[in-house]
Amino acid sequence: STRILHECGVLVVVSEKDRSWLDAALSSAKEHNIPTETLTADELKKRFPQFRYQIDNQNNSKDMEMIGIFEPEAGMVRPERAIRAALHEAENDYGATIWENTVVHSLREVNDNNGGTSYVELVVERRKENDTST
């Protein structure tokens, strides 16, 4: 598959004592219009029975009141595919030249004295294909 984002949902579970963290996460999700579901301990156990909702306190496991957030549209990003897609777009849509195996030693913005044209000056080292030295 060539998908960059795999929407599989994300479940975050915290103890009831960490409720302030959960409330902050829910507030942020609401602010950014991200759909979430808040799940009580009983709802977690019913919907996700494959997990054990216990805290191991020095080998003395005990049930704790847990609460969770399920974000159905969340998922996993494949960074190597995202980078490949960005490079392809830069090259094909914007005319960029991609220099692989290139080390950037410095980068600075240069302005003329009159506040006019500026450009970026790069100092790079292009390496051979199989050179892995640093």
Side-chain angles (χ1 to χ4, degrees):
S1 170
T2 58
R3 291 187 306 164
I4 293 172
L5 172 64
H6 296 270
E7 290 183 14
C8 54
V10 169
L11 176 65
V12 176
V13 179
V14 297
S15 69
E16 189 66 56
K17 70 178 182 164
D18 295 321
R19 181 66 195 232
S20 62
W21 180 91
L22 187 90
D23 290 340
L26 287 169
S27 176
S28 178
K30 184 176 183 178
E31 178 182 340
H32 298 287
N33 298 314
I34 298 171
T36 59
E37 299 173 42
T38 302
L39 303 168
T40 66
D42 288 338
E43 290 168 331
L44 284 167
K45 290 174 186 175
K46 183 176 180 183
R47 188 150 168 205
F48 299 100
Q50 67 271 36
F51 300 120
R52 291 180 59 197
Y53 301 99
Q54 294 180 336
I55 299 295
D56 188 6
N57 186 5
Q58 295 180 350
N59 299 323
N60 185 15
S61 295
K62 67 176 202 170
D63 284 332
M64 289 191 71
E65 283 301 309
M66 305 300 275
I67 190 162
I69 300 175
F70 181 67
E71 187 182 327
E73 294 178 4
M76 176 188 77
V77 172
R78 300 293 303 252
E80 70 284 359
R81 291 179 184 166
I83 292 167
R84 202 168 28 248
L87 291 173
H88 178 80
E89 181 179 335
E91 210 169 21
N92 294 312
D93 296 350
Y94 299 101
T97 300
I98 309 300
W99 289 357
E100 294 184 12
N101 303 307
T102 303
V103 176
V104 176
H105 290 284
S106 66
L107 174 142
R108 70 181 181 109
E109 185 174 2
V110 179
N111 298 303
D112 70 8
N113 291 333
N114 299 322
T117 307
S118 67
Y119 59 94
V120 174
E121 178 181 86
L122 291 170
V123 176
V124 299
E125 175 186 349
R126 300 205 48 198
R127 296 195 172 154
K128 294 181 177 140
E129 188 73 29
N130 295 323
D131 184 4
T132 58
S133 63
T134 56

